[in-house]
Amino acid sequence: MHTRAEQLAAFDRLLTIMDELREKCPWDHKQTFDSLRENTIEETFELANAISRHDMTEISKELGDVLLHVVFYAKMGSETGDFDIADVCNRLCDKLIFRHPHVYGAEAAANAEEVSKLWEQVKLKEKGGNKTVLGGIPESLPSLVKAYRIQDKVANVGFDWEKKEDVWEKVHEELDELQAELAKPGEGNKEQEFGDLLFAMINAARLYKIRPDNALEQTNIKFMRRFNYVEAKAKEQGRELKDMTLGEMDALWNEAKQNEPR
């Protein structure tokens, strides 16, 4: 690992390169906050994907891409005189100190759950911070992540199940309501009832300390791996999936499951 001096030197090198690119590269020079926005979102998802795969080499690479965007925005902010990278760092440091009174102040927090509850209380007191419990949740968050954040925030002010096991009654209630709605003719409230069931399931995941987005992504990866196996085996046999029976595909699917590391 690098020393603190080497880390600071590397960051200074990045800032110098950013200055040069902004001045000398036509593409970098023409970028704006708006033009970079979509690229920033894409880089964030690529980082999240690398984290899901626990690929440390890719995580390091994708972190660099995200850091580039932070430095790029700060450079553009300095050109307009609104802020620079020092403002970004100092505001972050000030916020971290303010939101950790159990480290830098007189408050006490014995575990991560107590820290989370303390954070919500501090955020409501923070100057320029959230004015309501659900304030600060970005509208553009993916719905699955947003639902988890909503439930986590309200739980931190006491709006939660007394016992985590109680959530399953709500899950079954929402499932019954969805099935009843699906049995009716016409569109009705199928989408709404399905959303209620998903929301209840996400609540259950939170209570049992499962990240639903991570859990679903692991299932996505597992499904794709198994289906790719089925497709590859079908090609080895000189066959197209569309010409195979469901039973034949299921047999290959089970092979894929059996060949997975335990």
Side-chain angles (χ1 to χ4, degrees):
M1 290 292 101
H2 296 88
T3 65
R4 178 58 62 89
E6 290 170 332
Q7 293 170 359
L8 292 174
F11 189 62
D12 183 66
R13 181 186 178 206
L14 174 59
L15 295 178
T16 300
I17 291 173
M18 186 72 255
D19 289 342
E20 292 173 346
L21 292 178
R22 187 67 173 166
E23 177 185 354
K24 300 174 182 178
C25 174
W27 186 90
D28 289 286
H29 182 72
K30 71 178 289 189
Q31 298 311 307
T32 65
F33 284 89
D34 290 331
S35 70
L36 278 181
R37 179 179 175 275
E38 288 188 9
N39 287 348
T40 305
I41 294 171
E42 181 179 339
E43 296 296 354
T44 303
F45 275 106
E46 289 180 359
L47 171 59
N49 189 38
I51 292 171
S52 294
R53 299 197 309 273
H54 301 285
D55 186 331
M56 293 302 167
T57 301
E58 278 298 302
I59 290 173
S60 175
K61 172 181 171 293
E62 298 301 341
L63 280 170
D65 291 342
V66 172
L67 179 58
L68 170 62
H69 281 246
V70 173
V71 170
F72 210 143
Y73 288 121
K75 175 61 178 176
M76 291 189 290
S78 70
E79 292 168 353
T80 60
D82 292 306
F83 63 89
D84 62 15
I85 193 65
D87 294 313
V88 173
C89 293
N90 286 326
R91 285 168 183 163
L92 173 59
C93 290
D94 291 343
K95 181 169 69 174
L96 289 172
I97 291 170
F98 185 81
R99 291 188 179 180
H100 290 77
H102 54 292
V103 176
Y104 299 102
E107 298 287 348
N111 52 51
E113 288 74 17
E114 290 184 11
V115 172
S116 293
K117 291 179 181 178
L118 187 59
W119 274 342
E120 296 306 326
Q121 296 166 12
V122 169
K123 287 177 189 176
L124 290 172
K125 298 176 185 175
E126 192 172 34
K127 182 178 179 181
N130 301 334
K131 303 304 180 186
T132 64
V133 172
L134 295 179
I137 297 179
E139 292 183 6
S140 58
L141 269 183
S143 298
L144 189 67
V145 179
K146 185 187 291 186
Y148 188 96
R149 291 293 294 124
I150 289 170
Q151 294 164 3
D152 191 46
K153 279 181 170 289
V154 299
N156 283 331
V157 295
F159 193 75
D160 203 2
W161 305 97
E162 290 187 5
K163 297 186 298 181
K164 64 182 180 182
E165 294 81 6
D166 294 341
V167 73
W168 296 113
E169 182 178 345
K170 183 63 174 176
V171 169
H172 291 301
E173 174 190 325
E174 296 298 351
L175 178 58
D176 290 342
E177 291 180 4
L178 172 61
Q179 290 178 318
E181 191 64 32
L182 292 174
K184 297 177 183 177
E187 287 302 314
N189 295 316
K190 296 179 176 61
E191 193 170 87
Q192 178 181 323
E193 294 297 346
F194 193 84
D196 290 346
L197 175 60
L198 285 177
F199 196 83
M201 284 297 300
I202 292 167
N203 222 343
R206 176 187 61 83
L207 288 164
Y208 283 86
K209 302 187 183 306
I210 297 168
R211 292 302 303 234
D213 48 328
N214 292 346
L216 181 58
E217 181 59 14
Q218 289 175 30
T219 297
N220 288 340
I221 292 170
K222 179 172 62 179
F223 183 94
M224 291 175 68
R225 181 175 64 244
R226 291 177 180 175
F227 191 84
N228 287 339
Y229 178 93
V230 171
E231 189 173 28
K233 285 296 181 180
K235 286 182 179 178
E236 286 179 14
Q237 299 171 12
R239 305 182 65 188
E240 295 287 338
L241 289 177
K242 61 183 179 62
D243 298 324
M244 298 177 70
T245 67
L246 182 58
E248 289 172 327
M249 287 190 282
D250 275 341
L252 292 176
W253 180 273
N254 289 329
E255 268 185 36
K257 289 175 64 175
Q258 293 170 1
N259 290 335
E260 288 178 349
R262 300 293 180 182

